[in-house]
Amino acid sequence: MHELSLTEKILRLVLEQAGNHKAAKITRIKLVIGDLSGIIPACVEQYFGLIAAGTIAAGAKLEFQRSKAELYCPVCEESFEKRPADFNCPRCGSLAQLTESGRECFVESIEVD
Amino acid sequence: MEIDIEQDLFENEAKLAELNRSWFAAHRVAAVNLLAAPGAGKTSLIRRTAALCPLPLAVIEGDPASRIDTDLLNGLGIPAHQINTEGGCHLEAQMIGQALQEFQPAAGTVLFIENVGNLICTASFPLGEALRVVMLGVSEGDDKPFKYPLIFEEADAVILNKIDLGPFVDFDRERFYRGIRTIDPEVPVFEVSCRTGAGLAEWSRWLERKAGEYLDAATV
Ligand SMILES: [Zn+2]
């Protein structure tokens, strides 16, 4: 459900940016979404289709780049990709720590005509 | 033509939360963002805390549609203000900012912000709170820290409620604490029962102390 409020923020942002560049149409929106962000791209896509109707962003293609969640193992002093519902280091089995990666949620760029 | 934007969608949230933070500090209100799944016992905790904590309490209630909790709390003499998110699954800083224009708790108040029942997106939206408290009932399972790590990460305290149900629900304490300690080795965990009252005095003393520290600092 929180995808709706996020999609509204995305739409507001891209319309504003397109307006600044006097664009007539937004054709593509590139987004980076982290695996830990709790955001489901398919939901964003669906909401976008609904709320962008009637704006210059209607019909724009949404392109999602996922960013992986990484954990850091203090024993091995190495980062590794997080597996679902698991905090253990695949090498030594110790409990690892969350890092900043995987939380991203940003609009990278847009393509306009 | 391609236009670079590079705009973090949560950056603006952080700015709006900062505005609330200034309001709370200037008005000496200690805001407590209370996060939990539906039915974990958020409203019961607030009622119990009101009876134990000597500081005056007020509540902002986030709820998708109803006023049930707000009416209940107002009926008990605890000032409560309703925010209906119209189906939305979390409170946002802007909603709190708006609520504060109408609902202005007195200086020295501990303001509970009862977030919408949800362990996912509530974690991502700072509200400008002084303290963030995450609550979980033993009946929800011991695996929650592993499934919803982000919500526990920013917690200033974790409340494990319904411990009276422990024997009936196979809650593995050891596993639960392993999850919590991975995310935060230091966060205090209060094991309570809002039904029997167990453990609540200790929680209330902690809250009084932390809120007191915040309010003292805000006076300067
Ligand atoms: Zn390791």
Side-chain angles (χ1 to χ4, degrees):
Chain A
M1 264 314 287
H2 59 305
E3 281 82 359
L4 178 56
S5 78
L6 271 164
T7 311
E8 285 166 348
K9 290 185 215 301
I10 293 170
L11 180 64
R12 218 175 303 137
L13 178 66
V14 298
L15 289 177
E16 186 190 298
Q17 291 284 335
N20 291 346
H21 289 80
K22 311 233 178 314
K25 184 116 192 85
I26 301 173
T27 53
R28 189 178 295 266
I29 301 167
K30 292 185 182 166
L31 301 150
V32 178
I33 306 288
D35 281 344
L36 282 179
S37 66
I39 294 153
I40 304 167
C43 290
V44 175
E45 216 153 36
Q46 198 164 14
Y47 286 130
F48 194 84
L50 293 170
I51 64 173
T55 73
I56 62 163
K61 172 136 183 48
L62 267 52
E63 215 176 272
F64 295 94
Q65 192 192 323
R66 303 292 302 195
S67 89
K68 297 282 176 206
E70 279 194 348
L71 298 182
Y72 175 77
C73 173
V75 179
C76 303
E77 299 185 348
E78 260 178 45
S79 295
F80 57 91
E81 193 179 310
K82 184 184 178 310
R83 295 166 297 178
D86 188 357
F87 284 123
N88 295 307
C89 170
R91 181 180 302 194
C92 72
S94 319
L95 285 175
Q97 297 155 356
L98 288 164
T99 65
E100 287 303 311
S101 82
R103 301 154 194 258
E104 297 83 349
C105 176
F106 66 90
V107 181
E108 194 167 62
S109 64
I110 55 176
E111 274 175 34
V112 298
D113 284 341
Chain B
M1 179 177 61
E2 182 156 2
I3 304 170
D4 269 335
I5 296 185
E6 300 280 339
Q7 171 73 60
D8 187 325
L9 287 160
F10 287 109
E11 204 175 278
N12 203 35
E13 289 306 316
K15 281 183 204 152
L16 293 169
E18 218 39 61
L19 292 177
N20 292 347
R21 202 180 303 283
S22 311
W23 193 97
F24 290 133
H27 291 79
R28 292 190 63 241
V29 169
V32 181
N33 190 0
L34 181 57
L35 306 148
K42 294 186 288 299
T43 312
S44 301
L45 179 78
I46 293 170
R47 290 173 61 176
R48 284 285 194 169
T49 306
L52 288 166
C53 183
L55 296 167
L57 299 193
V59 184
I60 290 180
E61 268 293 332
D63 197 287
S66 83
R67 297 190 43 90
I68 295 169
D69 293 342
T70 299
D71 292 344
L72 179 84
L73 292 166
N74 277 322
L76 291 168
I78 304 167
H81 177 88
Q82 183 71 50
I83 298 178
N84 281 134
T85 56
E86 308 301 338
C89 51
H90 58 267
L91 291 175
E92 298 193 10
Q94 191 209 351
M95 300 174 189
I96 300 298
Q98 240 163 26
L100 291 173
Q101 289 179 11
E102 288 175 45
F103 182 64
Q104 306 208 345
T109 300
V110 175
L111 175 68
F112 275 100
I113 301 173
E114 184 174 337
N115 219 311
V116 179
N118 177 346
L119 292 175
I120 303 178
C121 32
T122 48
S124 302
F125 291 86
L127 304 176
E129 67 267 23
L131 297 168
R132 185 179 276 209
V133 175
V134 179
M135 190 173 185
L136 186 83
V138 292
S139 49
E140 294 166 51
D142 47 54
D143 56 1
K144 293 300 166 287
F146 296 98
K147 288 188 171 172
Y148 305 97
L150 291 186
I151 203 161
F152 291 98
E153 207 182 6
E154 302 272 309
D156 295 296
V158 173
I159 296 183
L160 183 61
N161 188 25
K162 308 188 189 182
I163 52 164
D164 50 315
L165 293 180
F168 306 104
V169 293
D170 294 329
F171 184 84
D172 182 342
R173 249 188 196 73
E174 197 268 331
R175 184 168 185 230
F176 171 74
Y177 277 100
R178 192 151 37 89
I180 292 285
R181 291 299 165 228
T182 304
I183 298 163
D184 186 338
E186 316 245 297
V187 67
V189 179
F190 297 99
E191 298 193 13
V192 310
S193 167
C194 290
R195 198 175 68 84
T196 68
L200 288 164
E202 199 190 337
W203 143 253
S204 174
R205 274 195 300 273
W206 179 88
L207 176 68
E208 187 190 343
R209 181 167 57 81
K210 295 303 257 189
E213 282 168 12
Y214 173 86
L215 293 171
D216 287 348
T219 322
V220 185

